[in-house]
Amino acid sequence: MAETIKNLFTLIQFGGPLLGGVIALGATVVLPTVRRVDMKRELKEMRNQAVLWGVIVAPLGTAIVGFLLNNVVAGGASCGF
């Protein structure tokens, strides 16, 4: 069980920035080709959300949950983050 939790948080920690970076890069590359203003606004918002949630929140959330499991939860030290 502890190994499964560790693998899940490793996936979030490294997959979040990877997926967020790909979405942000894709939105940035496509932005000049779009003509409609409302679509450009949506792409800019998508880029900002991808950077915020994928690159900043996912690794930070993993660190916080790892801290809680290691220091607060009884028996959580067996997770070995």
Side-chain angles (χ1 to χ4, degrees):
M1 180 70 173
E3 191 67 29
T4 303
I5 294 171
K6 179 182 176 195
N7 290 340
L8 179 67
F9 286 112
T10 302
L11 180 67
I12 293 170
Q13 186 176 16
F14 296 117
L18 180 64
L19 186 62
V22 168
I23 292 172
L25 181 63
T28 303
V29 169
V30 171
L31 200 60
T33 63
V34 176
R35 293 182 161 241
R36 293 184 6 208
V37 175
D38 58 336
M39 184 67 109
K40 281 190 178 196
R41 188 175 299 130
E42 288 179 18
L43 284 171
K44 287 179 182 178
E45 182 65 27
M46 180 176 28
R47 179 186 60 198
N48 294 341
Q49 290 292 321
V51 169
L52 177 71
W53 289 102
V55 179
I56 297 171
V57 174
L60 185 62
T62 305
I64 291 169
V65 171
F67 171 77
L68 291 174
L69 284 175
N70 285 331
N71 299 318
V72 177
V73 176
S78 63
C79 292
F81 282 107

